[in-house]
Amino acid sequence: MTYCLGIHTRHGLVMASDSRTNAGYDQVNVTRKMHTFVLPGERAFVLLCSGSLSLTQSIITLLGRDFDLGKGLASVANMYDAAREIGEQVRRVSEMDRAALERDEVRFNVHFLLGGQIAGQPPDLYLVYPQGNPLRATEDSPFLQIGEVKYGRPILVRGIRYQETPLDEAAKYALISIDSTMRSNVTVGPPIDICIYQRDELDIVHRRRLTDKDPDLIQIHEQWEQTLRKGVTELPPIDFETFGQKK
Amino acid sequence: MTYCLGIHTRHGLVMASDSRTNAGYDQVNVTRKMHTFVLPGERAFVLLCSGSLSLTQSIITLLGRDFDLGKGLASVANMYDAAREIGEQVRRVSEMDRAALERDEVRFNVHFLLGGQIAGQPPDLYLVYPQGNPLRATEDSPFLQIGEVKYGRPILVRGIRYQETPLDEAAKYALISIDSTMRSNVTVGPPIDICIYQRDELDIVHRRRLTDKDPDLIQIHEQWEQTLRKGVTELPPIDFETFGQKK
């Protein structure tokens, strides 16, 4: 499995992904699911992927080949077209592999998150479905997730606000969200790749890879657990005795 | 959908359930998913259910009929047999309805949580699968969930400890867990039924039904959100600049 998320606020983007891949339960590996395409000062994209590693690798390879030739992501006019470009490569690999996979009852199941900015335009965040169509994050729904999305969602719902949340806080929410997911689904695992993209930066410079032994991650994990436990003890008591009367 | 959970600590049990049922998206109702079977001073059971309302109603009806005759849950010798008794009635209704359902591609999908105690024995908590077989909560895994289980799991994983967590705190964890779930899945909804069973009480007296307008639930909801937001701001900052060196 996989868990990746992107957060879009008025200050920019936070993109984060786990690194565990598995083929069945007995073949587990580490792979980077965060890929960047940058022309500094002109355009910067961060791409996160979930689904069959063979398929996402193919799609990233095709995107990278075009990018190096100044095509595709290197030349699209805006973020919508960039998301459409991801979708085009998804469909291209679907053409190549889908029939053979489905013959053996393997689903064609890849999802992408694309965050980035092109000079002179605002940053944007998209999810690209296995069918190639894009979905955009909005001010009301300022984060998008792919993979194992449920465990890590409540903390984002409660915390992320497009207008208010600073990027450094959004990054902490992202780490807590991934940490929560890793504790419940063993097929989501470290290291965590995370990057902050500040609006108009037009380069990817604030990155970090956190292993499970990273002291910062351990501290966040432990302090967060203490915060939750203390917070629960401080909640007002629930009066059960008065149930009969209150009804 | 549904979300129910049971928590077992050395002090007793907390059982909680939402009340939303739906047939499709355009037919939504309120129904109680918490059922009790009590012979005060001798035995007390709380039963929570998820799955097709028609099926769980049948099973509850059969259990109640036997109970009123002094059979079934009224006479089983221990909690394991009580869980097996639930399973027996699940299988009985499966015999009656499963073939007809599957003919129309409706799955036979019911789950139960059974918490309770019989005099002279310790309390126990079981999950009963659609096939009728039981799973018991343990000291290492002191809570069980049915229905939409993922959104509300991280807070339980971080907070519930069999030896340490007092029952009134466990009840707060249960409410937060359900509240988190209701915010992300619209097919899980209020009112919330919750009860605390103190070890050796052998009756169900600490109950509460919280509607979405209940001032206690609103306060917990709001205070919890503040706790999380404050907790995030107090986490140590993540240093992104040093990424290159740290690697």
Side-chain angles (χ1 to χ4, degrees), chain A residues 1 32 148-155 157-161 164 168-173 175-176 179-181 183-185 193-196 198 205-210 214-216 219-221 223-225 227-244 246-247, chain B residues 1 32 148-155 157-161 164 168-173 175-176 179-181 183-185 193-196 198 205-210 214-216 219-221 223-225 227-244 246-247:
Chain A
M1 197 95 183
R32 186 180 289 272
E148 173 62 279
V149 302
K150 291 191 178 183
Y151 297 117
R153 187 177 172 84
I155 183 65
V157 169
R158 284 197 168 100
I160 302 295
R161 300 290 177 267
E164 295 156 33
D168 60 337
E169 262 183 40
K172 294 180 199 173
Y173 279 106
L175 286 183
I176 295 168
D179 189 51
S180 298
T181 308
R183 285 197 67 163
S184 285
N185 186 334
D193 289 304
I194 183 164
C195 87
I196 283 185
Q198 288 170 2
V205 289
H206 307 288
R207 289 176 69 161
R208 181 87 179 264
R209 168 166 272 211
L210 300 114
D214 187 289
D216 287 2
Q219 194 187 342
I220 285 173
H221 179 98
Q223 187 171 327
W224 186 244
E225 191 155 310
T227 296
L228 296 184
R229 285 160 170 263
K230 186 157 165 287
V232 169
T233 64
E234 288 170 357
L235 287 175
I238 306 162
D239 188 356
F240 281 88
E241 308 298 334
T242 58
F243 168 72
K246 280 212 179 175
K247 285 279 291 182
Chain B
M1 198 92 184
R32 186 180 290 274
E148 174 60 278
V149 302
K150 291 191 178 183
Y151 296 117
R153 188 177 171 84
I155 183 66
V157 170
R158 285 196 166 103
I160 302 296
R161 300 290 177 267
E164 295 156 33
D168 59 337
E169 261 182 42
K172 296 181 198 172
Y173 280 106
L175 287 184
I176 295 168
D179 188 51
S180 299
T181 308
R183 285 197 68 166
S184 284
N185 187 333
D193 289 305
I194 183 164
C195 87
I196 284 187
Q198 287 171 3
V205 289
H206 307 289
R207 289 176 68 161
R208 180 88 179 262
R209 168 165 272 211
L210 300 114
D214 187 289
D216 287 4
Q219 192 187 342
I220 284 172
H221 178 98
Q223 186 172 327
W224 187 245
E225 191 156 309
T227 297
L228 296 185
R229 285 160 170 263
K230 185 157 165 287
V232 169
T233 63
E234 288 170 358
L235 287 175
I238 306 161
D239 188 355
F240 281 86
E241 309 296 336
T242 58
F243 168 72
K246 281 210 177 175
K247 285 278 294 180

Side-chain angles (χ1 to χ4, degrees), chain A residues 127-142:
Chain A
L127 187 158
V128 180
Y129 287 104
Q131 294 75 26
N133 51 318
L135 172 79
R136 187 171 156 267
T138 64
E139 195 164 328
D140 288 326
S141 298

